[in-house]
Amino acid sequence: MSNPVFDRIRDDITSNDVVLYMKGTPVFPQCGFSAAVVQVLTHVGVKFKGIDVLTDPSLRQGIKEFANWPTIPQLYVKGEFVGGCDIIREMYQSGELQELMQTKGVSTNQAA
Amino acid sequence: MGQVADRLEAKLRTAFQPEALAVIDQTNEHHGHAGWRESGETHFRIEITAAAFAGKSRVERQRLVYATLADDMNNPVHALSLVTRAPGE
């Protein structure tokens, strides 16, 4: 079954190493949870593509179905869903997020 | 506790028989934010410890909780912050 929104999502998450589906933009987040993930990624020093779901209702709904995850933000690394705000924050605090980036070959500003 | 919090707690107790469970209404901390409503009970934090989470990833654990509360997600619940632990963690 082909869903044009899913095709677009697949395209975005495979053509960019790190993608954050969020409310608002990295510069002007429209939600505290999205802002928190932007802050974490900035701290880790990872380049990412922010995609604003508020500009597109079909994407806002589609991304929830795509990941089987009912909330936004959603972080993808190398095409794989990693988690939402709570998970990213926990992984950052424990160092797992930085580890994941290194394992996946995504460059960060932190020494190994 | 409000009606929504009571309902969330009842559903989680039935589904997980948790060792520990706290459903915290944080709506007041989000006054005026997106999704906030005058009626309250839109923003929650849930801390749950249950055997069902043992050996599961964070994503899998949260999916289980979301699935249990699916009927309440989006309406009335706008935001849910989750801490999921297996016993002993």
Side-chain angles (χ1 to χ4, degrees):
Chain A
M1 216 171 50
S2 170
N3 177 329
V5 177
F6 285 9
D7 290 343
R8 227 176 85 204
I9 294 168
R10 247 176 242 120
D11 193 49
D12 276 327
I13 63 175
T14 47
S15 54
N16 300 278
D17 279 356
V18 183
V19 180
L20 180 65
Y21 289 88
M22 62 180 293
K23 293 181 178 173
T25 64
V27 178
F28 292 108
Q30 301 287 318
C31 152
F33 298 100
S34 290
V37 177
V38 168
Q39 214 177 9
V40 165
L41 293 175
T42 307
H43 266 283
V44 175
V46 167
K47 276 207 195 98
F48 67 97
K49 181 183 167 89
I51 297 180
D52 183 2
V53 302
L54 296 179
T55 60
D56 184 344
S58 68
L59 179 63
R60 184 176 180 174
Q61 186 52 38
I63 192 69
K64 295 178 182 179
E65 290 163 13
F66 180 84
N68 181 23
W69 194 259
T71 57
I72 290 153
Q74 294 184 10
L75 182 71
Y76 292 80
V77 177
K78 297 260 178 175
E80 219 174 276
F81 174 61
V82 180
C85 180
D86 296 319
I87 290 180
I88 302 306
R89 255 198 298 222
E90 264 181 50
M91 288 178 72
Y92 170 62
Q93 282 159 4
S94 68
E96 284 165 88
L97 186 65
Q98 297 86 321
E99 238 170 68
L100 173 81
M101 296 296 178
Q102 273 157 15
T103 313
K104 297 265 187 184
V106 176
S107 68
T108 65
N109 62 6
Q110 318 212 332
Chain B
M1 265 208 302
Q3 272 181 11
V4 179
D6 283 344
R7 189 167 69 234
L8 301 183
E9 184 174 333
K11 284 182 180 175
L12 292 168
R13 286 208 185 282
T14 307
F16 296 102
Q17 284 133 11
E19 206 168 82
L21 174 63
V23 177
I24 304 150
D25 184 351
Q26 296 186 317
T27 306
N28 286 337
E29 294 170 35
H30 297 271
H31 196 108
H33 289 184
W36 179 85
R37 279 188 296 272
E38 191 68 48
S39 57
E41 295 201 284
T42 53
H43 292 65
F44 289 93
R45 175 185 174 88
I46 292 175
E47 299 180 7
I48 179 167
T49 305
F53 299 139
K56 294 204 165 63
S57 72
R58 290 189 179 89
V59 168
E60 289 169 325
R61 292 173 181 196
Q62 293 203 12
R63 275 195 185 121
L64 289 174
V65 174
Y66 284 137
T68 305
L69 304 179
D71 292 342
D72 293 294
M73 292 304 295
N74 290 320
N75 187 22
V77 177
H78 171 75
L80 196 57
S81 183
L82 292 176
V83 178
T84 51
R85 295 190 189 94
E89 285 181 355

